[in-house]
Amino acid sequence: MSYAAHKMMHWPTGIENCASGFITHSRADFVTRIPPIQTDDLDSDWPAARREIGPVPNLVVTAGNVLEVYVVRVQEQDAGARGSRASGESKRGGLMDGVAGASLELVCHYRLHGNVMTMAVLSSGGGDGSKRRDAIILTFEDAKISVLEFDDSIHGLRTSSMHCFEGPEWLHLRRGRESFARGPSVKVDPQGRCGGVLVFDLQLIILKAAQGGYGLVGDDDGFASGAAISARVESSYIISLRDLDMKHIKDFTFVHGYIEPVLVILHERELTWAGRVSWKHHTCMISALSISTTLKQHPLIWSAINLPHDAYKLLAVPSPIGGVLVISANSIHYHSQSASCALALNSYAVSVDSSQEMPRSSFTVELDAANASWLSNDVVLLSTKTGELLLLTLVYDGRVVHRLDISKSKASVLTSGIATVGNSLFFLGSRLGDSLLVQFTSGVGASMLSAGLKDEVGDIEGDAPSAKRLRMSSSDALQDMISGEELSLYGSAQNNAESAQKSFSFAVRDSLVNVGPLKDFSYGLRINADANATGIAKQSNYELVCCSGHGKNGSLCVLRQSIRPEMITEVALPGCKGIWTVYHKNARGHNAESSDDEYHAFLIISLEARTMVLETADHLSEVTDKVDYFLQGRTIAAGNLFGRRRVVQIYERGARILEGYYMTQDLSFGASNSELGTGSESATVLSVSIVDPYVLLRMSDGGIRLLVGDPSLCTVSISIPAAFESSKKIVSACTLYHDEGPEPWLRKTSTDAWLSTGIDEAIDGADGVLHDQGDVYCVVCYESGSFEIFDVPNFNCVFSVDKFVSGKPHLVDTFMQDPLIDSQKMIGQSTEEVSGLSRKENIHNMRVVELTMQRWSGQHSRPFLFGILNDGMIFCYHAYLYESPDSTKTEDSASSQNTTASRLRNLRFVRVPLDTYARNDSSNGISGQRITVFNNIAGNQGLFLSGSRPAWFMVFRERLRVHPQLCDGSIVAFTVLHNVNCNHGLIYVTSQGIMKICQLPSITSYDNYWPVQKIPLKGTPHQVTYFAEKNLYPLIVSVPVQKPLNQVLSSLVDQEFGHQVENHNLSPEELHRTYTVDEFEVRIMEPEKSGGPWQTRATIPMQTSENALTVRVVTLFNTTTKENETLLAIGTAYVQGEDVAGRGRVLLFSAENNADNPQNLVSEVFSKELKGAISALASLQGHLLIASGPKIILHKWTGSDLTGVAFFDVPPLYVVSLNIVKNFILLGDIHKSIYFLSWKEQGAQLSLLAKDFGNLDCFATEFLIDGSTLSLAVADEQKNIQIFYYAPKMSESWKGQKLLTRAEFHVGAHVTKFLRLQMLSTSSDRTGKNPGSDKTNRFALLFGTLDGSIGCIAPLEELTFRRLQSLQNKLVDAVPHVAGLNPRSFRQFRSKGKAHRPGPDSIVDCELIFHYEMLPLEEQLEIAQQIGTTRLQILSNLDDLSLGTSFL
């Protein structure tokens, strides 16, 4: 492996930072709603205004290097009743405060070239009527700060300022230090006047905010013309805190209620340590500085000393109280300029002098590592390290706080941050579990609406074990069961005279799936695997079973990259070209309710030269000879018209309208008008789009026809749209778009929208059903590459774009003269000569072969536009609304050109990147339409793309999730089927001519980068392995258990010497206190056949204070019976404190398939105690290799005993991982990097071949095999990956003692496990262009990280590598990077100050290279030409890489 590519396959999901702010809209954009009318007695002591949900801000979250902005959609009760059927999903959490549900909807998603350390939202100041917006401040490793704001015109974030304090000119800020305890942290002034960033532990950077109305240069008229203005940073300067005599800064914050910004800093004057705490315990203090940004002065205005040494967090108390809360592990202190008070949380809290007693809370809790957020101006929500939610109330009078009250609320996830979103929602961000959006309401118990009250009571009592067990599972199928447990977040403060008793109740409204932290995973067969699959289809036989989460959020995540539907039945059907299912409403069924759940009536199958019709009743039965369908040729399309009362069938030369079995009208497309004479005689239908009551046909002569239906007579008539009658432009693709729903979306984008608001009264359908017709549009692409939208049936052009095929990042109507677009035109002209040079790339026949525009259900959904090019590329655009401030100016010029005034001039499209999607081979053989839209397959909506690489595009929260389907190879036809036996299922036909009727596995959550199924464990999983013979997964789980202290102490005795522990300083009542201990066990889990929750088949408990460290399935050669045995090996260690010598056990178990007694699934065959912890095990050629403490020992197995045959005293401290290939051993140590050993059978010796002499803290190691070369990959604590090789003949390897580095790369996440998988052969290998290339034995390394991301390192040919590397170097400058980050510096090896000689740069970063496909076509050609290659060559290299690594 000389060259490789690093490719992310699943991006981070563990949320590290969350914040809320008005990013995409301002506070003034909210219409105040009339509060619901309530009876007086409910409102007597709580004002009705509280129930009003005010302006709801956006939620901004970061996970690793991913930044996402969400908008929170709140559904009111009345809208909920109407819209719940349309949205097709049950709302979580019942009714509260007149709100039926709230959900997160994605606005934008970015992958940055750097991990976000901390984030804050710079508020724009101003009250509720403010028109200004907030900005996002991100900080990155070392000292980089970026300020981002939302730009409506591009519907995304843009960088408004960047501040960098690293590099040679800022070296003095580091004061000679190389590594720092933490990265930069940012806080902002509540009124938005400035922000502060602490970098290098001692330097404070003050970011001064721009005053209202000033923009960047060139944006000065922005305010006048009505464009939104965001908060911005004007300048920055540095305060050195060391000059202010502050040494150890722990936290800082800006407080409320001062005229100038005031910064409070928590710092420790002199450090203490565990051995001195009893003498020296109050070492912290806070200092308040008044920041004058104009004078750059910062006088000290007040301070407080004698705070406990374990204080770590400051919370600024909101107005009108002001002041600051200091949170420490055992107590909470409140300080302001005038008053202070404290609250002890447990018995470890001590006051400064023992004379006065601190007020104590009614229960004990430890608050280290807590997160907090304000629910109101006097109540703060705290989330502890165990996941409990606590409510802290400040009891105050005026501005004086008398005391603090703390009360327990319910438990929830272990959080990494909390953000209050508006006045009635908060978001619990979590790295260890699923993040939750929760609605809260506070009031005097009764002010809940009565419906909500019933819900609450029922849920609190319904704490059923079943609900408990499934609580953390996020798939929709379990949602109803979950809400019972999650809703029971409920708590009340003590009722006392000063504070009205506030009881808070909570309802979980939405959750974001998280699969991190991935501690370990194993690779096993799926339940419905197909043993005969070959090639790429074989990959979807496998799944990754991952240990993820921690504590009560611990779970097994089953991840699969590709979807594998569950088959109900299959039929051979050779020569099939297309399938369609249609409804037939009998005259009986008038009720509109059934329409959502109506069964399909007929299945129409088009073969090469004939058509079959099947009835889809209880059984599929052929009725071809009974029906009046056109059967003598193939069908092009079929669908329903007139509210499902008729079926329309389109064949090559005509159409039929049918009711049930019988035809009511027959049309033929001959020469419809005589003007074209001979040419149009032969025109046949190529593609069809059906939208009730229109049918759009694209003919083989390049024209289009429209069939217009008459709902009263149920007949259709043919027309050629006037706009196309005389036009010579050839249409390459077209589709109809139905803008349906209560409020048609596209109507909002036309300038005379006020005219059309009164028109959308519902039209009474002839069958008495209310039909809101909405608007129908026709979307057309021409051979020339231009794109137009017409309204139907008048065919006025309402939107047009010149070069659609080039795939610009934004599409804007050509009549809108926009500066952004003009600059793109200039680029376009300069590339004319480029395209002249690249004639050989035959760009001129690039055209769009299929179009689809679709808006799925949902109150705020916006349409997606898909286009497929003839080279297999897929464009996806998402529509958005942008009212350009100068639209009035262009009005006159547009109307003077005699166009209709009702253009959709505010409509724009933004291009959406498609992950993981490998392009289809150019569609030479596959004709016909490849996109099938579905609205309900197992509750999911989206579209299915058939062809040689089929994929599912599912829509969740206005975001597209792409999941490939590999299991059947190429798919020629697809349709939905809903009947008695197949509920909301699907039918597809493979290219081998097999028709399969399937359903989607419902237990899986598809709203993730990969489909995931979570199995809650209620404990922390540590390691998992796969027992292939029995299809079992043994895994190590630890569960926290409360134990009395004297039991814990007695387990710390060294049994060998039998010393008694002296309880000299413990009183009797202290001995009976409980202490939390982790108890370990090995659970053996079996996947459930039906895809339900997994079953635990057996558990192997460990002894007290014994930790299981490793579990492996090993194959040992039994020397007595002379045959191989497959056993389960467990390595453990006793954790008994530092006074006891370390010991461990090795356990061997055999698994029996005992049908009559499933309890004895595993039986212990051997156990032995050894010195040192057994941290890693592996089987080496029938022997068992054990890493015990500081040595590794090789044992042979006699069937009853392990006897050592060889050992090696490598000097490792603790072996993290052992890998074995043939007789080579790779060993990774926690501090001493890696060792490369070999085992020789004759002479029975382990010998060290080479090692890495550096100090590296290994996390994971693995062998990388590329043909005949063997490399050694290692991931370390600094989030790097290094690849070493053994070359004894090279002089710099010190005669082979030293491993040489082949590549190094910064991944940006802690890699915990490598898995070696064979790469799949790709098309370019099979053609044999380069015979003799050693590609068959080529492996890639799949890795999982603690962020919840999965990636792979894949070997490359040198030629491909050189091409991609020069492309990468070009893209560093060619692509505008979000937040202005440099991808090259992000991927530099991090050594944290240790000496490190830089290694070769031989890994390319696909995260950057995949931006190439998103560039406009002209730029792609230009870059390809500059690096001396062609666009097709680059795309085929990227394709081969995606194909070769499409595992799982």
Side-chain angles (χ1 to χ4, degrees):
M1 198 263 8
S2 306
Y3 305 100
H6 162 268
K7 176 178 169 222
M8 290 310 288
M9 302 167 82
H10 182 291
W11 285 266
T13 55
I15 290 177
E16 284 152 13
N17 300 298
C18 56
S20 68
F22 290 88
I23 310 293
T24 64
H25 49 258
S26 64
R27 290 170 177 80
D29 294 346
F30 276 83
V31 189
T32 50
R33 307 193 183 94
I34 303 154
I37 301 160
Q38 278 111 12
T39 51
D40 291 335
D41 58 334
L42 276 182
D43 283 340
S44 52
D45 38 16
W46 202 257
R50 178 67 188 84
R51 201 146 307 110
E52 183 59 30
I53 292 209
V56 182
N58 295 90
L59 175 70
V60 190
V61 300
T62 69
N65 63 336
V66 172
L67 169 70
E68 290 177 332
V69 180
Y70 290 93
V71 58
V72 181
R73 298 289 186 200
V74 177
Q75 259 176 327
E76 260 102 76
Q77 178 183 0
D78 49 319
R82 271 208 321 271
S84 62
R85 210 181 77 239
S87 64
E89 49 189 318
S90 57
K91 293 283 166 285
R92 289 174 77 164
L95 228 141
M96 179 187 278
D97 270 358
V99 170
S103 58
L104 296 171
E105 180 182 299
L106 186 77
V107 180
C108 50
H109 162 102
Y110 292 105
R111 292 166 195 162
L112 312 177
H113 297 290
N115 288 351
V116 180
M117 303 308 287
T118 54
M119 170 177 69
V121 171
L122 178 65
S123 112
S124 55
D128 271 357
S130 162
K131 279 207 164 45
R132 300 188 57 197
R133 300 180 177 177
D134 305 342
I136 305 171
I137 305 180
L138 303 175
T139 65
F140 300 94
E141 190 60 59
D142 280 1
K144 289 190 270 290
I145 304 155
S146 291
V147 186
L148 304 175
E149 62 182 53
F150 188 77
D151 184 353
D152 283 318
S153 63
I154 59 169
H155 197 72
L157 297 175
R158 68 168 180 195
T159 312
S160 66
S161 65
M162 286 151 53
H163 313 264
C164 180
F165 293 91
E166 29 182 283
E169 65 272 34
W170 296 107
L171 268 178
H172 63 276
L173 296 183
R174 297 172 177 264
R175 308 203 58 86
R177 288 174 60 191
E178 280 287 351
S179 66
F180 297 91
R182 53 183 178 183
S185 86
V186 57
K187 299 278 173 30
V188 290
D189 175 51
Q191 275 128 45
R193 294 165 296 193
C194 68
V197 184
L198 182 69
V199 297
F200 305 130
D201 292 353
L202 279 176
Q203 309 291 339
L204 190 69
I205 296 162
I206 299 292
L207 304 171
K208 182 186 175 186
Q211 294 307 306
Y214 301 132
L216 295 175
V217 189
D219 289 357
D220 296 331
D221 55 343
F223 212 57
S225 62
I229 273 218
S230 304
R232 289 191 174 141
V233 171
E234 189 181 89
S235 60
S236 56
Y237 66 94
I238 297 177
I239 300 177
S240 169
L241 296 177
R242 195 160 183 268
D243 302 348
L244 300 176
D245 207 28
M246 299 183 192
K247 292 199 199 87
H248 310 282
I249 286 125
K250 294 188 149 191
D251 196 16
F252 69 104
T253 188
F254 287 90
V255 292
H256 294 253
Y258 287 86
I259 297 168
E260 280 202 321
V262 171
L263 182 73
V264 176
I265 300 175
L266 171 68
H267 54 108
E268 202 162 2
R269 286 168 302 170
E270 36 188 308
L271 300 175
T272 180
W273 66 286
R276 296 254 326 146
V277 164
S278 45
W279 292 274
K280 188 174 177 183
H281 42 70
H282 282 68
T283 54
C284 289
M285 65 176 290
I286 53 175
S287 309
L289 310 177
S290 171
I291 306 286
S292 164
T293 50
T294 44
L295 301 173
K296 300 194 177 177
Q297 290 179 348
H298 35 269
L300 176 73
I301 52 175
W302 57 272
S303 63
I305 56 168
N306 286 343
L307 287 163
H309 69 278
D310 50 9
Y312 64 96
K313 197 196 242 340
L314 293 177
L315 288 180
V317 182
S319 306
I321 310 174
V324 66
L325 280 177
V326 185
I327 297 182
S328 68
N330 307 311
S331 56
I332 300 177
H333 300 256
Y334 169 81
H335 282 277
S336 70
Q337 204 160 344
S338 51
S340 69
C341 60
L343 177 70
L345 300 171
N346 54 42
S347 57
Y348 299 110
V350 285
S351 52
V352 188
D353 45 357
S354 45
S355 57
Q356 76 233 47
E357 188 60 36
M358 282 167 80
R360 296 202 173 273
S361 65
S362 54
F363 56 94
T364 64
V365 64
E366 291 172 21
L367 263 197
D368 50 328
N371 289 295
S373 185
W374 292 90
L375 296 188
S376 65
N377 64 351
D378 59 344
V379 178
V380 66
L381 176 78
L382 293 160
S383 157
T384 68
K385 59 184 177 185
T386 57
E388 284 182 294
L389 293 180
L390 307 176
L391 292 168
L392 177 72
T393 312
L394 280 68
V395 183
Y396 69 102
D397 182 11
R399 292 191 64 173
V400 180
V401 175
H402 293 306
R403 67 166 197 276
L404 308 173
D405 267 352
I406 195 161
S407 63
K408 273 191 178 180
S409 187
K410 272 293 159 85
S412 181
V413 293
L414 306 176
T415 59
S416 60
I418 309 182
T420 307
V421 185
N423 63 5
S424 51
L425 293 159
F426 61 85
F427 179 78
L428 301 169
S430 172
R431 256 191 105 217
L432 304 173
D434 293 354
S435 303
L436 304 176
L437 178 71
V438 183
Q439 185 190 348
F440 65 91
T441 181
S442 71
V444 181
S447 78
M448 299 278 306
L449 291 178
S450 54
L453 196 65
K454 285 194 200 81
D455 264 347
E456 284 295 323
V457 177
D459 282 321
I460 291 161
E461 290 166 355
D463 223 351
S466 69
K468 266 199 168 136
R469 193 170 64 243
L470 300 171
R471 181 163 106 227
M472 289 322 296
S473 159
S474 63
S475 65
D476 288 339
L478 302 174
Q479 223 124 52
D480 314 308
M481 296 174 76
I482 305 170
S483 49
E485 158 85 327
E486 283 185 339
L487 231 167
S488 58
L489 306 150
Y490 196 87
S492 63
Q494 292 99 334
N495 190 1
N496 43 34
E498 286 98 335
S499 70
Q501 178 198 2
K502 278 192 191 173
S503 68
F504 280 82
S505 35
F506 302 91
V508 175
R509 291 302 190 190
D510 202 352
S511 61
L512 298 179
V513 177
N514 168 26
V515 299
L518 297 177
K519 300 201 184 101
D520 187 34
F521 57 78
S522 69
Y523 178 74
L525 275 177
R526 299 193 194 183
I527 289 291
N528 53 359
D530 171 20
N532 309 324
T534 55
I536 206 158
K538 191 172 178 183
Q539 284 304 313
S540 70
N541 282 344
Y542 298 98
E543 60 194 5
L544 276 190
V545 177
C546 314
C547 295
S548 79
H550 179 85
K552 62 177 186 182
N553 300 136
S555 64
L556 268 191
C557 283
V558 185
L559 286 165
R560 316 164 166 108
Q561 192 177 349
S562 60
I563 287 182
R564 189 181 186 99
E566 294 173 353
M567 197 171 67
I568 297 174
T569 175
E570 63 177 349
V571 192
L573 196 69
C576 176
K577 291 285 175 225
I579 48 176
W580 299 268
T581 43
V582 291
Y583 298 98
H584 169 54
K585 250 190 192 158
N586 299 336
R588 300 190 303 278
H590 269 324
N591 51 340
E593 302 315 308
S594 66
S595 66
D596 274 354
D597 220 35
E598 189 185 341
Y599 287 155
H600 286 105
F602 295 106
L603 168 67
I604 299 156
I605 300 172
S606 164
L607 305 174
E608 272 161 19
R610 63 190 185 94
T611 295
M612 289 167 62
V613 183
L614 277 70
E615 204 164 21
T616 58
D618 298 352
H619 302 287
L620 287 183
S621 49
E622 189 169 348
V623 290
T624 310
D625 42 359
K626 298 185 201 164
V627 291
D628 291 347
Y629 282 80
F630 173 78
L631 308 166
Q632 291 76 40
R634 66 193 191 94
T635 302
I636 306 292
N640 285 91
L641 286 183
F642 312 122
R644 296 183 179 173
R645 285 175 300 156
R646 297 283 186 277
V647 174
V648 59
Q649 177 200 16
I650 313 281
Y651 48 96
E652 281 179 343
R653 300 188 180 278
R656 290 193 180 183
I657 308 293
L658 299 110
E659 180 175 14
Y661 291 116
Y662 308 109
M663 175 168 73
T664 59
Q665 190 183 359
D666 193 5
L667 295 163
S668 71
F669 315 131
S672 50
N673 294 14
S674 52
E675 71 334 316
L676 282 172
T678 54
S680 70
E681 299 279 341
S682 58
T684 55
V685 181
L686 291 180
S687 72
V688 182
S689 173
I690 303 175
V691 162
D692 193 5
Y694 303 102
V695 180
L696 181 73
L697 315 170
R698 181 169 69 84
M699 312 301 286
S700 56
D701 60 2
I704 65 178
R705 305 262 199 289
L706 184 71
L707 306 187
V708 184
D710 177 350
S712 55
L713 301 172
C714 289
T715 57
V716 296
S717 53
I718 306 180
S719 69
I720 297 187
F724 292 92
E725 252 177 322
S726 54
S727 104
K728 293 278 176 283
K729 294 198 279 189
I730 299 180
V731 175
S732 70
C734 59
T735 183
L736 288 177
Y737 165 61
H738 187 196
D739 205 17
E740 51 199 339
E743 28 184 76
W745 192 85
L746 279 183
R747 227 178 254 182
K748 304 176 197 166
T749 65
S750 79
T751 36
D752 45 5
W754 54 274
L755 284 175
S756 57
T757 47
I759 304 176
D760 58 338
E761 272 88 51
I763 303 156
D764 234 358
D767 54 357
V769 182
L770 284 180
H771 284 304
D772 182 352
Q773 296 298 68
D775 307 324
V776 177
Y777 295 89
C778 170
V779 186
V780 175
C781 243
Y782 299 103
E783 290 275 346
S784 62
S786 56
F787 164 89
E788 292 189 308
I789 301 181
F790 297 90
D791 61 352
V792 177
N794 309 325
F795 274 85
N796 297 320
C797 177
V798 291
F799 186 85
S800 60
V801 173
D802 276 344
K803 284 191 169 167
F804 179 71
V805 279
S806 67
K808 300 191 190 87
H810 298 90
L811 301 183
V812 181
D813 191 358
T814 39
F815 280 90
M816 296 288 303
Q817 254 46 55
D818 192 86
L820 173 102
I821 309 305
D822 286 343
S823 64
Q824 285 187 1
K825 277 211 183 94
M826 295 293 294
I827 298 171
Q829 266 120 39
S830 69
T831 55
E832 283 306 313
E833 56 266 28
V834 174
S835 55
L837 288 163
S838 55
R839 286 276 152 75
K840 58 175 187 247
E841 288 217 40
N842 56 24
I843 287 311
H844 294 287
N845 56 16
M846 278 191 60
R847 60 181 199 279
V848 177
V849 292
E850 189 173 349
L851 275 175
T852 296
M853 187 164 167
Q854 175 74 17
R855 174 172 162 232
W856 282 276
S857 64
Q859 210 178 353
H860 300 275
S861 63
R862 313 193 306 277
F864 284 95
L865 171 70
F866 296 89
I868 304 185
L869 298 190
N870 54 351
D871 67 345
M873 236 356 215
I874 293 195
F875 291 159
C876 168
Y877 285 94
H878 203 176
Y880 65 97
L881 187 74
Y882 173 61
E883 290 191 29
S884 150
D886 49 315
S887 58
T888 44
K889 296 179 220 162
T890 52
E891 195 85 40
D892 324 320
S893 62
S895 54
S896 67
Q897 291 171 9
N898 202 0
T899 61
T900 48
S902 65
R903 287 185 77 90
L904 305 176
R905 54 181 69 256
N906 295 333
L907 171 67
R908 293 196 174 185
F909 290 92
V910 60
R911 183 141 173 224
V912 183
L914 298 176
D915 297 335
T916 62
Y917 176 70
R919 293 182 318 145
N920 275 45
D921 309 330
S922 22
S923 49
N924 40 21
I926 304 173
S927 59
Q929 284 149 304
R930 290 180 38 207
I931 292 179
T932 312
V933 173
F934 57 87
N935 285 320
N936 186 351
I937 293 187
N940 302 300
Q941 49 183 16
L943 57 89
F944 183 82
L945 179 76
S946 51
S948 59
R949 315 241 174 94
W952 294 79
F953 290 61
M954 296 187 181
V955 180
F956 297 95
R957 21 181 140 255
E958 284 301 280
R959 120 186 250 165
L960 215 58
R961 299 285 199 184
V962 185
H963 301 308
Q965 177 173 321
L966 310 172
C967 54
D968 291 290
S970 172
I971 288 180
V972 291
F974 174 95
T975 187
V976 295
L977 173 67
H978 177 46
N979 73 359
V980 183
N981 301 321
C982 177
N983 208 344
H984 292 300
L986 55 130
I987 307 181
Y988 60 86
V989 181
T990 67
S991 54
Q992 282 83 37
I994 295 172
M995 180 168 89
K996 299 193 172 190
I997 302 178
C998 306
Q999 281 176 310
L1000 273 190
S1002 57
I1003 197 99
T1004 310
S1005 166
Y1006 296 100
D1007 184 14
N1008 186 32
Y1009 301 104
W1010 288 6
V1012 58
Q1013 175 190 351
K1014 289 188 89 165
I1015 296 122
L1017 295 173
K1018 290 285 184 228
T1020 307
H1022 295 276
Q1023 205 177 55
V1024 62
T1025 187
Y1026 179 55
F1027 205 135
E1029 293 174 15
K1030 310 275 194 293
N1031 196 27
L1032 299 172
Y1033 288 92
L1035 71 150
I1036 298 175
V1037 182
S1038 67
V1039 183
V1041 178
Q1042 298 278 336
K1043 287 199 166 179
L1045 201 56
N1046 45 14
Q1047 270 188 38
V1048 178
L1049 287 173
S1050 62
S1051 72
L1052 302 181
V1053 182
D1054 194 335
Q1055 269 85 5
E1056 288 180 32
F1057 303 107
H1059 289 313
Q1060 192 49 46
V1061 174
E1062 308 89 27
N1063 301 333
H1064 52 88
N1065 48 8
L1066 292 179
S1067 58
E1069 72 267 13
E1070 278 180 322
L1071 276 178
H1072 291 296
R1073 270 214 207 119
T1074 58
Y1075 183 79
T1076 311
V1077 185
D1078 277 339
E1079 287 204 344
F1080 280 76
E1081 62 187 28
V1082 175
R1083 282 187 205 170
I1084 297 183
M1085 312 267 295
E1086 182 176 37
E1088 195 53 39
K1089 292 285 181 283
S1090 61
W1094 289 24
Q1095 300 301 319
T1096 305
R1097 310 295 292 162
T1099 43
I1100 305 169
M1102 298 294 123
Q1103 298 172 2
T1104 47
S1105 70
E1106 182 183 30
N1107 289 12
L1109 298 180
T1110 181
V1111 57
R1112 287 287 174 253
V1113 174
V1114 292
T1115 305
L1116 301 183
F1117 180 72
N1118 188 330
T1119 50
T1120 43
T1121 62
K1122 300 284 186 255
E1123 54 191 36
N1124 284 332
E1125 293 181 18
T1126 306
L1127 300 171
L1128 182 68
I1130 302 171
T1132 73
Y1134 289 97
V1135 179
Q1136 296 176 309
E1138 55 191 18
D1139 302 327
V1140 182
R1143 297 173 298 126
R1145 283 198 307 162
V1146 58
L1147 309 164
L1148 291 180
F1149 286 83
S1150 69
E1152 304 301 330
N1153 266 4
N1154 224 352
D1156 24 299
N1157 192 0
Q1159 261 60 45
N1160 305 355
L1161 180 70
V1162 289
S1163 51
E1164 182 178 317
V1165 290
F1166 176 75
S1167 79
K1168 179 182 185 181
E1169 195 171 287
L1170 299 169
K1171 281 184 182 167
I1174 314 281
S1175 57
L1177 298 162
S1179 55
L1180 170 60
Q1181 294 180 345
H1183 297 59
L1184 182 63
L1185 186 63
I1186 298 177
S1188 69
K1191 63 170 68 173
I1192 56 170
I1193 313 170
L1194 191 65
H1195 294 78
K1196 68 172 190 225
W1197 171 240
T1198 62
S1200 57
D1201 196 15
L1202 287 174
T1203 48
V1205 288
F1207 74 96
F1208 189 82
D1209 273 335
V1210 266
L1213 307 166
Y1214 179 89
V1215 178
V1216 178
S1217 63
L1218 275 180
N1219 308 99
I1220 288 176
V1221 163
K1222 294 186 175 169
N1223 61 334
F1224 295 112
I1225 304 164
L1226 169 60
L1227 178 145
D1229 184 71
I1230 190 79
H1231 281 310
K1232 297 285 181 194
S1233 197
I1234 57 173
Y1235 294 81
F1236 183 43
L1237 301 105
S1238 75
W1239 153 249
K1240 291 194 180 63
E1241 188 81 53
Q1242 61 278 27
Q1245 58 178 9
L1246 289 169
S1247 52
L1248 179 71
L1249 297 176
K1251 64 174 188 169
D1252 170 28
F1253 282 81
N1255 276 357
L1256 201 64
D1257 299 352
C1258 293
F1259 269 35
T1261 58
E1262 185 55 272
F1263 285 108
L1264 182 52
I1265 299 172
D1266 179 18
S1268 53
T1269 59
L1270 185 69
S1271 313
L1272 301 90
V1274 54
D1276 64 36
E1277 182 265 339
Q1278 292 300 321
K1279 307 183 180 181
N1280 306 308
I1281 284 184
Q1282 265 174 294
I1283 298 177
F1284 291 96
Y1285 67 110
Y1286 174 56
K1289 300 206 170 65
M1290 307 265 289
S1291 58
E1292 58 263 43
S1293 72
W1294 304 349
K1295 294 187 179 170
Q1297 296 178 57
K1298 185 179 178 193
L1299 290 169
L1300 303 177
T1301 108
R1302 196 165 255 169
E1304 57 184 30
F1305 189 82
H1306 184 70
V1307 177
H1310 285 127
V1311 175
T1312 52
K1313 167 81 183 255
F1314 285 113
L1315 173 69
R1316 189 173 63 246
L1317 293 177
Q1318 184 150 9
M1319 286 180 73
L1320 310 159
S1321 66
T1322 52
S1323 51
S1324 58
D1325 310 345
R1326 287 195 288 270
T1327 49
K1329 281 179 221 158
N1330 38 5
S1333 72
D1334 193 3
K1335 284 192 174 178
T1336 47
N1337 193 23
R1338 165 165 282 187
F1339 288 81
L1341 289 184
L1342 193 75
F1343 59 80
T1345 73
L1346 289 182
D1347 291 344
S1349 56
I1350 296 173
C1352 76
I1353 300 278
L1356 290 178
E1357 297 290 294
E1358 181 170 6
L1359 186 65
T1360 311
F1361 169 78
R1362 297 278 176 231
R1363 184 180 299 126
L1364 293 182
Q1365 191 183 35
S1366 40
L1367 172 65
Q1368 172 179 298
N1369 295 341
K1370 271 273 174 257
L1371 289 177
V1372 171
D1373 305 327
V1375 178
H1377 301 296
V1378 188
L1381 292 161
N1382 183 347
R1384 197 175 285 164
S1385 74
F1386 179 43
R1387 297 308 185 184
Q1388 290 282 309
F1389 186 90
R1390 307 280 157 94
S1391 59
K1392 256 298 177 56
K1394 291 180 184 162
H1396 174 78
R1397 179 183 296 161
D1401 178 22
S1402 48
I1403 295 188
V1404 289
D1405 180 20
C1406 291
E1407 285 291 270
L1408 177 57
I1409 290 178
F1410 283 147
H1411 280 291
Y1412 181 74
E1413 294 185 6
M1414 290 296 294
L1415 291 174
L1417 182 65
E1418 295 81 14
E1419 292 182 37
Q1420 289 188 17
L1421 294 172
E1422 197 170 349
I1423 288 177
Q1425 190 207 351
Q1426 286 171 355
I1427 62 177
T1429 178
T1430 62
R1431 168 178 175 271
L1432 292 173
Q1433 182 65 63
I1434 293 175
L1435 290 180
S1436 91
N1437 284 155
L1438 294 182
D1439 258 11
D1440 287 352
L1441 187 61
S1442 312
L1443 259 185
T1445 56
S1446 48
F1447 307 119
L1448 304 167

